[in-house]
Amino acid sequence: NIHWSVWPSILMCLLGGFCLAEINNVTVRLGDSIALLNAIFWSFHIVFISKLLKEFNFPLTIAAFQCLIGSILTFIPALITEEVIISNILLEYKEILYVGILSSGFAFLLQVFSQQNLGPAPVAIVFSLEGAIAAIAGWLILNQFLNEIKILGIMLIIIAVILSQILPIYKRV
């Protein structure tokens, strides 16, 4: 069962994401469309992983196969659309290992382990922290400017995540 706190949390995350967006230019560009399509597929991914974990409780195996299938599905278009030169790939081996092991492998493993005890809706809410953390990191590392609206967006997302995790603990609420 989905706790009632999920729905206000989702709305708060959407509003927080809207506050984090650059509203000065509302032109929908190709990158925006691709990001929206990515979000749709990512939501299917979260639901699919949750269903797999309920059926087969093998998070390490699921994460490994997920990375293997992702590798295959990206390698095939690369062979078709790019000139694959092994010597050029070896020049970037550190970056490839970093992305493959940490950004993909370890991150997906953590995701699968975290989804063992959460439903898809709370997981999606927690993943909305990505935008808030990226905004804070951009401010700290890249000296990007955070105005009051963006700070409000960050706060809304953080509060939504906290509420979606704490309120279900109290069954009476």
Side-chain angles (χ1 to χ4, degrees), residues 5-151:
S5 64
V6 166
W7 298 110
S9 296
I10 289 171
L11 291 174
M12 289 173 67
C13 287
L14 286 171
L15 183 59
F18 182 75
C19 290
L20 284 174
E22 290 291 332
I23 307 170
N24 300 347
N25 184 357
V26 291
T27 305
V28 177
R29 296 174 293 268
L30 176 63
D32 299 323
S33 302
I34 293 171
L36 179 62
L37 187 64
N38 178 49
I40 292 168
F41 281 112
W42 188 251
S43 66
F44 287 133
H45 176 260
I46 291 171
V47 172
F48 183 69
I49 293 296
S50 290
K51 289 188 180 294
L52 269 178
L53 283 169
K54 284 181 183 170
E55 191 71 29
F56 313 101
N57 193 16
F58 299 111
L60 190 60
T61 305
I62 291 170
F65 272 108
Q66 176 177 300
C67 289
L68 176 66
I69 291 168
S71 300
I72 292 169
L73 290 177
T74 55
F75 189 66
I76 293 170
L79 288 175
I80 296 168
T81 62
E82 299 177 9
E83 186 178 351
V84 178
I85 302 170
I86 299 298
S87 61
N88 288 348
I89 292 172
L90 292 176
L91 292 173
E92 306 297 332
Y93 77 94
K94 291 178 187 174
E95 291 82 1
I96 292 170
L97 287 175
Y98 170 80
V99 169
I101 294 170
L102 291 178
S103 295
S104 298
F106 189 63
F108 282 138
L109 179 63
L110 289 176
Q111 174 198 344
V112 172
F113 272 114
S114 69
Q115 280 190 250
Q116 278 183 307
N117 302 314
L118 293 172
V123 169
I125 292 169
V126 170
F127 279 149
S128 67
L129 278 172
E130 181 180 0
I133 292 171
I136 293 169
W139 173 63
L140 290 173
I141 298 169
L142 303 174
N143 295 320
Q144 292 181 344
F145 181 71
L146 287 180
N147 59 22
E148 295 83 8
I149 298 294
K150 289 185 179 185
I151 293 171

